[in-house]
Amino acid sequence: MTSKSFLPTPLMTRPIAITPGDPCGIGPEIVARAWCQAPELTQGCFVAGDVGLMRRAMALVQTVSAYPVCEIETPADALRVPPRCLPVLQVVPVAPVLPWGCIDARAGQLAGDTVLWATRAALRGDVAALVTAPLHKEALHAAGAPYNQYPGHTELLQAESALHMGVLLDQMPVRMMLANDELRTVLVSIHVSLRQALEAITLERVLQTLRITDAALTPVLGRRPRMAVAGVNPHAGEGGLFGREEIDIVQPCLAIAQQEGLDVHGPYAPDTVFMRARQQADGRREFDVVIAMYHDQGLIPVKYLGVEQGVNVTLGLPLIRTSPDHGTAMDVAGQGIANASSLIQAIGMARHMVSGMH
């Protein structure tokens, strides 16, 4: 999933919005760097944020020639901006200059406000997709209501989507997919303890994960995804010797999914299934995606292949949202050394998903 794989489509009817994340972290810098390093990929995109913040960030990465940051008035204006120019839509009050690398409630407020604006724009159909640079959860909570009720991006997006669709929160289930050039994995549970993650492995939740994954990847691949389901226990339970979750929960779930027409297989031993789903040098892969039973089971293989190439995709929403697979990196913010590779991949993934929806 290199940036070369995601050249922009010739005609974009709607732009892609990119939020800068926490203004004290590396988010604004990697956004500016993405425009410098991947101008073809960012053409037709714009930053939903603060003009002054992005000019400050561009100063960190621009050392040879001027690379202008221009203010636009509407999202559609991003489609008409000349090449090698970073368009910014001022969607928040003019932001104060905040110190790099600090956790600040004002930074959390700005980060939350930009995500809220962009989410609503995507739900209205004003933008084709949303790419979010990292925010800092502590700063977000320090901003107070409404952001202190959300652990992070995903929960905010989920709540706004449910409100927009007029459904209860539990009727808007979402899942995390981590992907890179070689591997895709979708998680049954995300940020819970291992004990809670095991309790979350129910027939209903696993089946829901399969359905969400199938619905999300079918338009992207142009066919139903071939899904491999990882077992819960060593050797996928070894016929019940090492645990019965595979027999009592996973196998009945797979039978139902197969009856519904889903291309799903397993459960397979967790220590080998990811190798079977990893793309080979000749482009072949046995499976398109692995359904992992809990956070670390699914994320360790993807991150081992390279955090700088990983993309986080939220599945199950009525909008397209991707993000880089890393945090705010406060320790290097403001030094002009942040790596934009994962954000560039996230923009490419968003473009790819947008093209698959048409």
Side-chain angles (χ1 to χ4, degrees):
M1 195 181 64
T2 64
S3 58
K4 293 181 181 178
S5 304
F6 294 119
L7 293 179
T9 52
L11 293 175
M12 287 186 64
T13 57
R14 292 180 297 158
I16 292 175
I18 301 177
T19 57
D22 191 298
C24 297
I26 65 169
E29 178 187 340
I30 61 174
V31 171
R33 195 176 293 279
W35 252 265
C36 296
Q37 293 180 351
E40 297 89 359
L41 197 64
T42 53
Q43 188 70 31
C45 302
F46 71 97
V47 176
D50 177 71
V51 175
L53 171 65
M54 292 314 304
R55 286 178 176 154
R56 182 185 180 215
M58 184 60 76
L60 287 174
V61 302
Q62 189 62 43
T63 57
V64 180
S65 59
Y67 197 101
V69 173
C70 63
E71 184 171 0
I72 57 176
E73 296 183 359
T74 70
D77 291 342
L79 301 175
R80 298 182 286 272
V81 170
R84 304 194 68 82
C85 180
L86 195 165
V88 180
L89 183 64
Q90 187 78 35
V91 301
V92 294
V94 175
V97 176
L98 300 174
W100 298 114
C102 294
I103 299 171
D104 192 305
R106 294 170 296 174
Q109 181 77 43
L110 184 147
D113 287 350
T114 58
V115 173
L116 190 61
W117 182 93
T119 302
R120 290 173 176 173
L123 290 169
R124 290 192 304 267
D126 294 342
V127 300
L130 170 59
V131 181
T132 60
L135 54 72
H136 196 285
K137 293 178 174 59
E138 187 177 343
L140 186 70
H141 282 212
Y147 303 120
N148 55 2
Q149 63 182 301
Y150 304 122
H153 276 117
T154 302
E155 293 79 8
L156 192 160
L157 290 159
Q158 182 185 23
E160 280 297 310
S161 296
L163 181 64
H164 178 81
M165 300 297 290
V167 301
L168 298 174
L169 194 62
D170 60 5
Q171 294 175 300
M172 184 63 64
V174 297
R175 293 293 187 273
M176 176 190 290
M177 179 173 78
L178 261 289
N180 59 26
D181 272 339
E182 301 173 71
L183 184 64
R184 302 183 189 96
T185 183
V186 177
L187 310 180
V188 171
S189 63
I190 308 178
H191 297 127
V192 296
S193 71
L194 183 55
R195 188 179 304 278
Q196 290 172 311
L198 293 174
E199 294 170 353
I201 300 171
T202 63
L203 188 148
E204 179 183 9
R205 188 169 181 86
V206 174
L207 184 60
Q208 190 177 67
T209 306
L210 294 172
R211 289 168 174 162
I212 290 172
T213 305
D214 179 76
L217 291 185
T218 294
V220 175
L221 297 173
R223 56 174 172 78
R224 298 198 107 152
R226 186 172 173 82
M227 297 181 282
V229 177
V232 182
N233 301 296
H235 301 187
E238 198 72 75
L241 292 176
F242 305 147
R244 292 192 54 86
E245 283 84 358
E246 289 79 8
I247 295 171
D248 296 338
I249 299 171
V250 181
Q251 290 176 1
C253 174
L254 266 59
I256 295 171
Q258 289 164 351
Q259 289 175 355
E260 294 179 359
L262 276 64
D263 190 359
V264 58
H265 307 269
Y268 297 116
D271 58 353
T272 58
V273 67
F274 295 97
M275 291 183 283
R276 296 175 65 178
R278 185 180 179 186
Q279 182 167 292
Q280 305 303 310
D282 60 3
R284 292 183 302 168
R285 64 170 89 216
E286 188 174 353
F287 301 106
D288 297 304
V289 61
V290 176
I291 307 302
M293 290 295 129
Y294 53 91
H295 185 279
D296 286 6
Q297 184 190 63
L299 266 55
I300 288 173
V302 179
K303 292 192 175 187
Y304 179 77
L305 293 173
V307 172
E308 68 281 356
Q309 299 299 323
V311 177
N312 176 7
V313 185
T314 306
L315 307 183
L317 296 170
L319 56 86
I320 294 171
R321 179 260 175 155
T322 68
S323 68
D325 182 26
H326 59 71
T328 54
M330 293 294 193
D331 57 325
V332 299
Q335 298 178 35
I337 60 174
N339 189 328
S341 296
S342 186
L343 178 68
I344 291 171
Q345 298 299 325
I347 297 169
M349 175 67 82
R351 279 195 178 277
H352 187 58
M353 295 181 72
V354 168
S355 66
M357 295 300 177
H358 296 299

